Amino acid sequence: MKNMFMIGNAHLDPVWLWRWQEGFQEVKATFRSALDRLKEYENFIFTSSSAAYYEWVEKNDSQMFEEIKQRIQEGRWIICGGWWIQPDCNIPSGESFVRQGLIGQNYFKEKFGVTATVGYNVDSFGHNGMLPQILKKSGMDSYVFMRPGPEEKGLPSRLFLWESKDGSRVKAFRIPFEYCTFDHLENHIMHCKNELKHSFNHLMCFYGVGNHGGGPTKENIEIIEKLNETMDDTNLIFSSPNDFFEHVESLKDTLPVVHDDLLHHAVGCYSVHSEVKKLNRYSENLTLMAEKFSSIANWATGQAYPSDMNQAWKGILFNQFHDILAGTSIESAYDDARDLYGEAISISSRNMNYALQSLSWNINIEEEKGMKPMVIFNPHSWPVKVNVEIEDGLFVNYLLPEEFIIEDAKGNEVPYQIVDPIAKIPNRKRVVFLAELPPLGYSTYKLRALKPAKEFEIVKVSENEMENDRFRLVIDQESGGIRSLFDKVKQIEVFKNDAAIPVVMNDIFDTWGHGTLRFDEMTGVFKPVRIKKLEEGPVRGVIRVTSKFQSSTIVQDFIMYKQSNKIEVKVKVNWQESYQTLKIKFPVSFNQRNTTYEIPFGHTTRESDGNEKPMQNWIDVTGTISKQREEIYGLSILNDGKYGVDVKGNTINLTVLRSTIYAHHAPFIPDMDEDYPIIDQGIQTFTYQLLPHENSWEEAETVKHALELNQKPQLIVETYHKGSLPQEDSFISIDQPNIILSALKKAENHDDLIIRLVETNNAETVAKVELKNWGRSMELHFGPMEIKTLCIPRNPEKAIYETNLIENLNQALVTV
């Protein structure tokens, strides 16, 4: 007999064509309906996901919550998908996926005594290839999804093993046709029956009214009971994904293996609604920095670890719901999203300030006339050399003489330059200088009222050219783009043609980008109206290019640093167009190119076919210099809030924005003369960096450079005081460059410390990790692309142990 597992569910979009308040009510109504069906039909089983919904019910209807708890204990209400919400599965960071499981699974365990064993994202628009490891280490050994469909991604079977780069595998199932039914259930079941041959004669068939909730109806259940009596060769079983995956466990050794991202569906979602995507990136990184410094302050100074960090994460995670973060909801929903991000940002900013000020206040800083100390914190697990900007009340003439120096912690004078202040008032000054900081630590810099003793070389700048020791950059006065970026050491032009050119593409597609894989029909090019030398000094040079297209303006500040091989570009766009996409083009000059995209906790190579693809903090194209010179050379492009890109031939096209109608879904055809609400209108800002490099992106440490752009050093202007801390300190050291610290936080259920480390280069590695301030040292073996989570007991006599991503595993670890 063939088995069709009938999965009674109600897909609940808490936000989409409605705001979260309406979604809140739909959750309660749907759960009430499901409870009533469970009373009426003894064979009926209900499946539901998303811990956020249960918290809503817990806080708003305690009686219903108790009923749900009872049904879960009976085994008829099945918790599936141990995440806070069903998120977009391309745009969130790797650490965000960890927190989906950490907070979601811990909630389910605390409230119901169970955790989910099946990952469940039935409506998300694609799934990154590192999810199997994240799922496995979050307690889930199976995964159910629907998109991309068969027409978008060929798979060997509906049921298969999905493998990530580290070798982790989960059983995966692609839902046939739909995850919900509004009517005609009998037809849906018969269509699914025809798919049994593609799933080893065991198939899940999902039913129940969905999207705006509803769930299985009486009619649904009775149709299934009636059909089951008439089918001779197929059993229709009221069941759950848990039971299905347990049933097919015996087939595991015969299942085909898929080692790939599960893409592409709705490629427009990688770029539409720039604001929500930028807020997501910013809040993720801010919250991670707040946790790191709060952990250090707690152990170093006794500053209380904040109790509301998970509240910040809950807001971030909720906004990662696929119809919010993907940019496909109604306009008013994004007012709510901004508010929720605001809460998360406020919590994290406040807690980070408490931590930083506690640390800096405990540094022993001597009193000295004419000196002002500045403590600069590095959030990364490697030493950094970064440019720091400060504009503060101390930079006014009555406190600061015209001549001053800045010294590092060792007393060395460092270069600085005075730049245009943000506050346009007399006597206000803004200073930029270079800081070298130890790994996950701080250094005290001092501003002294002394005449400079050293003269530093400057970045040479003309109206359209800049040059440092490594590169010469030339802006073309006709195109406003980079005519030349010449590597003086390797004697190579990085670009084949003018680069950093903003181009406008026709975009007649709906908000999701249904019906297309690319945006490549060019309708116009921005033309420069002004090219201006902005800064010249020992720290950096800046050339500003202002360009226009129709009613829109883009300003690109090209920044070359004296002691950095990265070219930074700060961008401000004032966008006033509709039904168009904005891209920035970078045609590289290399041969035999290979394109690598960062994905959450990993990377992948993809075809250079011009199709739109998702990325995280960076994309890289590396090849040979020329047919005559087979040396390896490449370009990484780093960003602080963009997720869509295409590569066609030798050209990287960074997708900046899409100006579609809010929540426009095909087949609706808009009236081009109508005044619809259009996404991405007005001013937006972002930064990208160009990192040319010899050899591979791994050797160039692209991952680290991209994280430095997204998690910036933090500065506290201090005073003189006695303290127990030195003027420079580091709290971690890792002896291998491909092992990075992803998270440092308090454990969920006790006072010990959690650190998470990730291998980034797809290379087996043995690394020594030291926490010297606490006398701890570990020698760790990493498999390629492995994520390791370690618990450091506060009691130094207790051994460090490895745990999983949801912190419920205790595995002995050898320490040195």
Side-chain angles (χ1 to χ4, degrees):
M1 293 289 287
K2 301 171 185 176
N3 293 308
M4 193 180 299
F5 294 76
M6 304 302 299
I7 311 300
N9 79 110
H11 181 64
L12 289 159
D13 288 326
V15 176
W16 178 29
L17 308 180
W18 44 85
R19 296 171 63 192
W20 70 269
Q21 296 90 340
E22 187 173 337
F24 191 112
Q25 197 282 328
E26 97 192 28
V27 165
K28 291 189 297 181
T30 298
F31 282 8
R32 180 71 267 157
S33 175
L35 289 167
D36 290 345
R37 301 294 83 75
L38 287 166
K39 288 179 182 176
E40 295 161 353
Y41 299 93
E42 62 181 16
N43 293 326
F44 173 61
I45 293 173
F46 183 67
T47 294
S48 183
S49 71
S50 304
Y53 304 158
Y54 294 85
E55 186 177 71
W56 281 352
V57 174
E58 179 190 15
K59 292 180 181 299
N60 199 239
D61 190 334
S62 57
Q63 183 177 344
M64 187 193 297
F65 190 76
E66 290 302 317
E67 285 186 69
I68 292 170
K69 184 184 295 187
Q70 179 185 341
R71 293 302 187 182
I72 289 171
Q73 291 168 352
E74 289 175 1
R76 295 184 61 204
W77 184 300
I78 307 300
I79 295 293
C80 202
W83 287 358
W84 191 247
I85 206 80
Q86 289 188 42
D88 182 281
C89 288
N90 285 307
I91 296 173
S93 67
E95 196 60 41
S96 284
F97 285 109
V98 171
R99 303 313 171 96
Q100 289 281 358
L102 177 67
I103 296 175
Q105 291 279 51
N106 274 277
Y107 180 86
F108 287 136
K109 183 67 175 177
E110 177 190 349
K111 303 300 180 181
F112 305 128
V114 301
T115 55
T117 60
V118 176
Y120 186 92
N121 282 292
V122 299
D123 195 26
S124 300
F125 309 141
H127 312 264
N128 77 80
M130 287 301 290
L131 282 182
Q133 181 178 189
I134 295 169
L135 289 163
K136 196 89 170 180
K137 292 183 175 179
S138 300
M140 291 171 276
D141 61 5
S142 307
Y143 193 63
V144 59
F145 69 101
M146 189 177 78
R147 298 188 173 96
E151 74 283 6
E152 297 165 321
K153 172 75 173 179
L155 293 172
S157 168
R158 289 201 174 274
L159 177 62
F160 58 94
L161 295 177
W162 189 21
E163 182 180 72
S164 53
K165 284 182 179 290
D166 71 302
S168 297
R169 291 180 175 182
V170 296
K171 300 185 292 294
F173 180 83
R174 177 159 66 184
I175 297 171
F177 306 116
E178 267 295 346
Y179 50 72
C180 59
T181 54
F182 293 91
D183 50 26
H184 307 298
L185 176 58
E186 186 170 350
N187 290 339
H188 176 62
I189 291 172
M190 299 312 294
H191 288 150
C192 287
K193 186 174 183 292
N194 292 330
E195 292 292 313
L196 279 161
K197 61 181 177 293
H198 301 302
S199 189
F200 299 85
N201 288 330
H202 302 287
L203 187 98
M204 282 191 280
C205 176
F206 281 64
Y207 71 97
V209 179
N211 290 338
H212 199 267
T217 64
K218 294 179 180 181
E219 183 183 37
N220 288 162
I221 297 167
E222 290 167 5
I223 285 173
I224 293 167
E225 290 177 334
K226 181 179 178 182
L227 274 178
N228 194 40
E229 295 174 358
T230 64
M231 287 193 178
D232 296 330
D233 62 343
T234 304
N235 289 323
L236 301 185
I237 307 167
F238 288 105
S239 190
S240 69
N242 299 34
D243 288 342
F244 170 79
F245 283 115
E246 286 180 18
H247 192 82
V248 300
E249 178 67 20
S250 61
L251 300 172
K252 191 173 180 179
D253 292 339
T254 65
L255 297 180
V257 178
V258 174
H259 184 91
D260 199 3
D261 298 313
L262 302 179
L263 299 175
H264 295 274
H265 175 83
V267 300
C269 293
Y270 308 149
S271 304
V272 75
H273 210 294
S274 297
E275 182 184 26
V276 76
K277 291 173 171 63
K278 183 174 181 178
L279 286 169
N280 175 72
R281 179 81 64 85
Y282 177 70
S283 60
E284 285 177 327
N285 284 289
L286 180 69
T287 305
L288 289 172
M289 289 195 295
E291 287 180 336
K292 292 177 196 176
F293 291 122
S294 294
S295 300
I296 291 170
N298 178 239
W299 279 41
T301 71
Q303 172 73 25
Y305 191 89
S307 60
D308 52 358
M309 291 307 304
N310 275 357
Q311 186 62 32
W313 273 113
K314 285 178 180 180
I316 296 167
L317 300 179
F318 185 85
N319 276 341
Q320 289 174 347
F321 180 71
H322 51 270
D323 277 315
I324 301 175
L325 191 53
T328 55
S329 292
I330 58 173
E331 185 175 15
S332 57
Y334 290 99
D335 296 331
D336 298 328
R338 279 190 292 270
D339 291 345
L340 196 51
Y341 277 125
E343 180 188 31
I345 290 167
S346 294
I347 290 171
S348 297
S349 297
R350 180 170 57 250
N351 289 334
M352 184 161 67
N353 183 63
Y354 285 144
L356 297 179
Q357 299 252 10
S358 176
L359 289 165
S360 67
W361 192 250
N362 280 276
I363 296 172
N364 189 44
I365 302 175
E366 70 282 3
E367 183 175 355
E368 180 183 333
K369 185 178 180 180
M371 184 272 284
K372 193 69 175 175
M374 298 170 285
V375 183
I376 308 171
F377 294 86
N378 174 19
H380 303 292
S381 56
W382 57 91
V384 299
K385 182 184 289 187
V386 291
N387 289 278
V388 176
E389 296 187 29
I390 177 170
E391 181 171 331
D392 190 88
L394 71 98
F395 291 113
V396 292
N397 285 340
Y398 63 84
L399 284 179
L400 182 67
E402 286 301 316
E403 292 188 308
F404 62 91
I405 65 170
I406 297 176
E407 290 182 347
D408 64 18
K410 298 177 180 65
N412 300 311
E413 189 176 338
V414 301
Y416 71 86
Q417 68 191 68
I418 297 175
V419 299
D420 192 34
I422 294 173
K424 307 303 182 186
I425 60 175
N427 300 323
R428 190 75 171 180
K429 293 179 180 176
R430 188 170 185 83
V431 173
V432 56
F433 64 96
L434 183 76
E436 295 190 51
L437 307 175
L440 195 63
Y442 62 85
S443 190
T444 304
Y445 279 69
K446 296 172 182 177
L447 187 148
R448 297 185 188 277
L450 297 173
K451 183 177 181 179
K454 296 180 66 175
E455 189 171 320
F456 297 96
E457 291 185 5
I458 67 170
V459 178
K460 300 171 185 176
V461 186
S462 68
E463 284 305 309
N464 69 322
E465 294 188 25
M466 292 187 289
E467 188 170 353
N468 63 13
D469 295 338
R470 182 67 188 259
F471 292 102
R472 182 173 65 251
L473 183 146
V474 181
I475 300 295
D476 185 85
Q477 294 182 324
E478 293 295 321
S479 70
I482 300 174
R483 186 174 75 211
S484 172
L485 180 57
F486 185 69
D487 185 330
K488 298 188 295 183
V489 173
K490 299 302 292 183
Q491 292 289 298
I492 177 177
E493 281 286 358
V494 176
F495 296 114
K496 185 175 183 178
N497 306 111
D498 286 7
I501 303 291
V503 296
V504 182
M505 304 295 186
N506 186 40
D507 188 349
I508 58 171
F509 304 98
D510 68 12
T511 314
W512 286 256
H514 287 132
T516 190
L517 290 173
R518 59 179 65 187
F519 306 102
D520 61 352
E521 183 186 332
M522 193 166 71
T523 60
V525 180
F526 276 77
K527 293 296 183 183
V529 294
R530 189 182 188 192
I531 300 174
K532 178 185 178 182
K533 170 183 171 180
L534 215 60
E535 292 180 28
E536 180 180 65
V539 177
R540 68 189 188 190
V542 183
I543 295 175
R544 172 170 291 173
V545 179
T546 303
S547 304
K548 285 189 174 291
F549 170 78
Q550 294 181 5
S551 300
S552 298
T553 305
I554 185 168
V555 178
Q556 297 195 83
D557 285 350
F558 294 90
I559 305 170
M560 175 179 282
Y561 294 99
K562 180 64 179 175
Q563 298 188 46
S564 172
N565 291 335
K566 290 178 286 193
I567 306 299
E568 184 168 277
V569 188
K570 293 186 179 295
V571 185
K572 181 171 76 172
V573 181
N574 186 350
W575 185 252
Q576 301 295 331
E577 318 304 325
S578 301
Y579 312 113
Q580 297 183 95
T581 285
L582 175 61
K583 288 178 173 280
I584 302 179
K585 300 176 74 71
F586 303 92
V588 299
S589 62
F590 329 130
N591 292 323
Q592 298 177 325
R593 297 167 299 275
N594 188 55
T595 304
T596 307
Y597 300 71
E598 186 182 40
I599 62 175
F601 280 151
H603 60 269
T604 190
T605 57
R606 298 180 179 134
E607 302 89 344
S608 301
D609 56 8
N611 288 347
E612 201 76 6
K613 296 182 175 71
M615 65 172 175
Q616 293 267 305
N617 298 322
W618 57 270
I619 184 172
D620 179 86
V621 173
T622 294
T624 57
I625 291 178
S626 67
K627 291 181 180 179
Q628 292 74 35
R629 295 175 61 189
E630 295 185 353
E631 302 162 73
I632 302 299
Y633 200 93
L635 174 71
S636 298
I637 300 181
L638 326 174
N639 75 86
D640 69 349
K642 299 301 174 187
Y643 294 92
V645 68
D646 80 79
V647 180
K648 186 172 185 181
N650 73 321
T651 303
I652 306 168
N653 300 296
L654 179 68
T655 309
V656 174
L657 57 82
R658 294 185 61 226
S659 48
T660 66
I661 303 171
Y662 275 93
H664 167 210
H665 198 303
F668 174 79
I669 299 174
D671 179 351
M672 294 302 183
D673 295 324
E674 187 61 58
D675 183 22
Y676 299 107
I678 302 294
I679 302 176
D680 278 346
Q681 298 295 286
I683 293 175
Q684 60 170 279
T685 60
F686 65 98
T687 300
Y688 66 87
Q689 292 177 341
L690 307 176
L691 177 63
H693 58 83
E694 51 192 299
N695 301 319
S696 67
W697 63 263
E698 292 96 334
E699 291 175 81
E701 299 188 341
T702 291
V703 173
K704 290 182 177 179
H705 287 290
L707 284 169
E708 288 170 20
L709 173 62
N710 283 277
Q711 293 185 28
K712 295 185 181 299
Q714 302 296 308
L715 185 148
I716 300 290
V717 177
E718 262 300 345
T719 51
Y720 326 121
H721 39 65
K722 294 186 180 299
S724 60
L725 299 179
Q727 292 189 11
E728 184 173 81
D729 206 356
S730 171
F731 296 91
I732 195 170
S733 69
I734 303 172
D735 69 350
Q736 298 297 329
N738 56 318
I739 305 299
I740 66 167
L741 177 74
S742 174
L744 175 70
K745 60 181 282 290
K746 177 184 170 294
E748 291 299 293
N749 300 312
H750 47 80
D751 289 333
D752 296 338
L753 200 65
I754 294 291
I755 66 172
R756 190 157 17 261
L757 301 164
V758 183
E759 195 288 312
T760 59
N761 289 0
N762 200 25
E764 191 169 348
T765 303
V766 176
K768 186 175 182 180
V769 180
E770 290 188 90
L771 305 170
K772 65 177 181 60
N773 296 57
W774 301 303
R776 295 290 200 165
S777 181
M778 300 157 276
E779 187 170 273
L780 304 171
H781 177 268
F782 287 82
M785 308 299 288
E786 184 180 0
I787 308 162
K788 277 190 182 295
T789 304
L790 309 169
C791 183
I792 318 295
R794 189 178 284 268
N795 183 346
E797 296 181 0
K798 291 187 176 180
I800 298 170
Y801 61 91
E802 186 172 354
T803 186
N804 58 9
L805 296 179
I806 58 175
E807 302 176 22
N808 69 355
L809 179 72
N810 187 332
Q811 183 174 331
L813 187 73
V814 176
T815 62
V816 295

